[in-house]
Amino acid sequence: MRDLLPIGSVVLLKGAVKKIMIIGYMAIDKENTSKTYDYSGCIYPEGLLSSDQTLLFDHEQINQVFFEGYQNEESELFKNQLKEVHKQLTESKKTLDTLE
């Protein structure tokens, strides 16, 4: 797992027209629980209008970063914990529901 952009970062995905603001990490699609995405996001500047408008995407889908969100020691600690969970998921092929 690479270094993740902070929450609040604004990006443009490859082939997209609208910017996306990152609102979460390690998102799982309800219909494909075996796939974990690096990020969840909402359209920018509109924000999260409804739960069915959340976008799931991976870091390599990002074409351009317009703004990097706020970062501090707490956010770095959290991202390091996410990396550990991701490593456990990858090694064991578990879903988040079964991770102990």
Side-chain angles (χ1 to χ4, degrees), residues 18-86:
K18 288 291 286 181
K19 294 176 183 79
I20 305 298
M21 182 173 67
I22 296 171
I23 61 173
Y25 302 114
M26 288 187 60
I28 297 175
D29 188 342
K30 292 179 193 176
E31 296 180 17
N32 181 9
T33 58
S34 64
K35 167 74 171 128
T36 303
Y37 293 87
D38 295 335
Y39 304 104
S40 59
C42 61
I43 54 175
Y44 178 86
E46 291 87 344
L48 187 61
L49 301 173
S50 67
S51 62
D52 65 337
Q53 292 183 332
T54 302
L55 299 153
L56 306 179
F57 58 99
D58 289 319
H59 195 82
E60 54 271 354
Q61 292 175 272
I62 296 172
N63 186 49
Q64 186 175 359
V65 177
F66 288 93
F67 174 78
E68 286 196 29
Y70 177 70
Q71 298 182 76
N72 64 8
E73 195 173 291
E74 184 179 13
S75 64
E76 289 303 312
L77 177 63
F78 179 72
K79 287 194 292 186
N80 287 334
Q81 291 170 338
L82 275 178
K83 287 178 185 179
E84 184 58 36
V85 169
H86 183 267

Side-chain angles (χ1 to χ4, degrees), residues 7-19:
I7 299 292
S9 294
V10 178
V11 301
L12 183 67
L13 301 181
K14 294 174 183 172
V17 178
K18 288 291 286 181
K19 294 176 183 79

